[in-house]
Amino acid sequence: MQITAKECNALIQSEITNGTMWVVFNANVEIAKQKGLFFTKWDGDTLIGFMICRLLKRSGVISIDKIAIHQDYRRKGLGKGLLNELLQYNLPIKLDVATNNGDAIRFYERFGFRKVGEKQLGKNHISSYEFRS
């Protein structure tokens, strides 16, 4: 089934607000699909969740760039399912999350991610997490 950046955008509309970001996001979707690092969840023909990742060649670590689940489908195990698919690669995983996003942080920590640092990106305070099997 073909997936467009526009379909993904419907899940994270508030985060992708201008044409430039849309182009970058579309390129990331295409690259992730080509590398086998684009994971999706569906309800029939409706995209209800996805995860975009990159393999960082120098370190051999997978970076989770974006994970999104439609608000009507949250807390039903879909995010866990996406992460379990990624774990099959048996590589270390890293991600960044806004420090004020408590729900996401609790989710990642319950999954076994450990906080390894913090940084400031513009006005956003970001926490870095990693998972090693």
Side-chain angles (χ1 to χ4, degrees):
M1 195 170 291
Q2 286 288 69
I3 303 166
T4 66
K6 188 174 182 179
E7 289 173 301
C8 295
N9 184 39
L11 293 179
I12 56 170
Q13 191 142 10
S14 64
E15 297 179 43
I16 301 174
T17 57
N18 63 51
T20 303
M21 186 61 186
W22 188 314
V23 170
V24 170
F25 183 72
N26 189 30
N28 288 347
V29 169
E30 291 307 314
I31 291 167
K33 284 168 45 178
Q34 292 169 14
K35 303 285 185 184
L37 293 170
F38 183 69
F39 305 88
T40 58
K41 294 294 181 187
W42 296 85
D43 185 359
D45 289 338
T46 303
L47 178 67
I48 59 171
F50 68 90
M51 181 172 59
I52 300 172
C53 304
R54 289 179 292 137
L55 176 61
L56 306 176
K57 292 180 184 178
R58 290 185 191 194
S59 63
V61 172
I62 292 179
S63 172
I64 298 175
D65 289 343
K66 187 68 190 169
I67 185 169
I69 303 295
H70 186 283
Q71 64 186 10
D72 294 343
Y73 292 85
R74 291 183 185 156
R75 302 197 187 282
K76 297 183 181 192
L78 297 173
K80 184 176 180 180
L82 289 169
L83 283 174
N84 280 327
E85 289 182 55
L86 184 59
L87 289 177
Q88 293 178 21
Y89 285 84
N90 201 28
L91 291 170
I93 303 167
K94 74 171 212 122
L95 60 88
D96 291 332
V97 61
T99 302
N100 65 358
N101 189 345
D103 288 342
I105 289 171
R106 283 186 292 280
F107 169 75
Y108 294 125
E109 287 178 343
R110 280 193 311 267
F111 214 88
F113 282 80
R114 303 274 187 265
K115 185 175 179 179
V116 294
E118 292 186 7
K119 57 189 167 193
Q120 193 75 26
L121 290 176
K123 295 180 181 180
N124 299 315
H125 194 73
I126 305 295
S127 295
S128 298
Y129 283 79
E130 69 178 27
F131 178 90
R132 297 194 182 266
S133 50

